Amino acid sequence: MGKAVMLPWILGALAVLNVSLVQAEDPYFYYTWTVTYGTRSVLGIPQQVILINDQFPGPKLEAVTNNNIVLNLINKLDQPFLLTWNGIKQRKNSWQDGVLGTNCPIPPNSNYTYRFQAKDQIGSYTYFPSTLLHKAAGGFGALNIYHRSVIPIPYADPDGDFTLLIGDWYKTSHKTLQQSLDSGKPLPFPDGVLINGQTQTTFSGEQGKTYMFRISNVGLSTSLNFRIQGHTMKLVEVEGSHVVQNLYDSLDVHVGQSLAVLVTLNQPPKDYYILASTRFSRTVLTATAVLHYANSQTPASGPLPAAPAFQFHWSMQQARTYRWNLTSNAARPNPQGSFHYGKITPTKTLVLANSASLINGKLRYTVNGVSYVNPDTPPKLADHFNIPGVFSMDSIQGLPSGGAATVATSVMPVSLHDFLEVVFQNNENSLQSWHLDGYDFWVVGFGYGQWTPHKRKTYNLVDALTRHTTQVYPNSWTAILISMDNQGMWNLRSAQWGRQYLGQQFYLRVFDPVRSLTNEYDIPSNVLLCGKAVGIRP
């Protein structure tokens, strides 16, 4: 049974805590999470899943802007393990990003303590395993950051707050899926869709009240459409951006994306279906939940609300309606629109083309013809300790090339304070979902066919929203702008996990040659060392 979190109580309690610290630094919150295997009946059959503190999905992590999180993660699995914090910018702190380019994985029967701050962020986010195919077994959860009491939000406090983790699911074990990918096969079509790890669950509210629904696609590969029978949804937040508050009957949520809507229970008192169903697939898989009015005596009934009849064009048109609320602030008091991103001339343009290639007779996914391979030593550690031969900064180019596909540990150098124009060019017949760690970016344009400089005339340079994960439609392009203001080693990857695993990723090395704590924090004293970094004193 999903129960609404009473936000005013949470925020009030945290406000009291803040007052009690009187002008001290931002408060610290301490957690110990233990990662284990367990058995759950997910799609009607018992299967091995990954639990955190015996929970599937994992515990909800809640914070207020600028809170500090100290989280001791104990790995009781039989394989090395990491969690990454999807959408948390880790300001000046890529040491805590939790991906294999920045962190050594936590060995079995060992632990690592993450220390990071929810610096200048609000919104709906997630965490999940970044190692191997662990995400296919669970280990994911919600990470919600609430606003500080002194910072207004552009809507009334909701009467409650629901988190919905929606995603595709496989009956096949994560190890078998990994073996299949290693053999050169793509991920198959999933077996089902889950909402909060279940095929059926209930969310309860009172008639006449308004509730926030935080919706995140935590699946491996499949875009989903979300809708609530008989109710419209007012979109208010997308991955930390406050947006123009349009009403929607249904919303496409692509892999790795998060959004928040307000829903008013303004219908006759009964139960209503909540649906998440696969998009752009011949076979449609659906998960249903129930929205229960507290005074309802009538179970949910009637035809399920239909998914959009139209496909990619409809979805692209919907995406274009997502607009920044220019007069609203986000985590900081200044309005979002006070940063005039559209008036900045980019210092560099990157065109990144994804493709499926055969390398040594096996399927690999590439970016500009290069398929990423994880080395034994994280590039971030190799860079810090000046260890040669771990990664290459000239293997991947900023434009597609026509040569044969290759494998490399590809790192692209970028100067701190560059302003990048990045075009994702998708010449495949399937939708792509791209994510960048350490940043959000303005999604300024979608279009069909090949991108050319002439397409810049179609960009939204006024009120494009910022987010950390964007979709790229088949045989189409998506353009983003990024202010490179966060030094570190940052993963740019396919959010579709099979593609990421088989190489559709690389790292941006955002660097200033002058070492300064103003730009980047020191290496953590508890850093895990592996590969060629073993034995080096931090």
Side-chain angles (χ1 to χ4, degrees), residues 479-521:
I480 65 173
L481 299 175
I482 322 171
S483 178
M484 307 305 296
D485 61 356
N486 191 14
Q487 183 163 313
M489 189 76 73
W490 301 109
N491 192 207
L492 180 58
R493 64 175 177 263
S494 173
Q496 293 148 309
W497 213 243
R499 297 186 73 101
Q500 176 275 155
Y501 178 79
L502 289 181
Q504 191 174 317
Q505 60 169 313
F506 65 96
Y507 283 81
L508 290 173
R509 179 184 184 259
V510 184
F511 191 68
D512 187 312
V514 179
R515 280 203 173 182
S516 166
L517 292 178
T518 304
N519 293 337
E520 185 172 21
Y521 297 145

Side-chain angles (χ1 to χ4, degrees), residues 156-308:
D157 280 335
D159 296 296
D161 195 302
F162 297 116
T163 295
L164 290 83
L165 302 175
I166 63 176
D168 55 20
W169 188 258
Y170 293 81
K171 294 178 181 178
T172 308
S173 76
H174 70 95
K175 290 182 180 179
T176 303
L177 287 174
Q178 180 190 335
Q179 290 167 359
S180 178
L181 287 169
D182 288 341
S183 74
K185 297 175 184 175
L187 277 181
F189 190 67
D191 297 303
V193 175
L194 304 180
I195 299 175
N196 290 348
Q198 301 170 286
T199 52
Q200 292 182 314
T201 187
T202 299
F203 301 89
S204 297
E206 296 181 27
Q207 190 175 24
K209 292 190 173 182
T210 297
Y211 297 86
M212 177 169 279
F213 286 73
R214 300 174 185 267
I215 305 149
S216 296
N217 186 335
V218 295
L220 290 187
S221 60
T222 313
S223 296
L224 300 173
N225 181 267
F226 181 85
R227 51 206 185 273
I228 303 176
Q229 185 182 33
H231 294 73
T232 56
M233 301 175 286
K234 181 186 288 185
L235 186 66
V236 293
E237 178 253 324
V238 176
E239 295 163 20
S241 272
H242 283 142
V243 296
V244 174
Q245 295 177 13
N246 296 321
L247 293 173
Y248 298 88
D249 293 319
S250 75
L251 289 160
D252 282 350
V253 189
H254 308 286
V255 177
Q257 295 185 341
S258 298
L259 50 80
V261 298
L262 294 176
V263 178
T264 300
L265 274 57
N266 56 7
Q267 297 300 304
K270 60 185 285 290
D271 291 358
Y272 296 86
Y273 288 116
I274 297 171
L275 289 92
S277 61
T278 56
R279 284 284 266 150
F280 321 125
S281 57
R282 287 195 185 95
T283 302
V284 177
L285 303 175
T286 302
T288 58
V290 170
L291 174 59
H292 171 72
Y293 279 51
N295 56 342
S296 165
Q297 303 295 320
T298 308
S301 63
L304 298 178

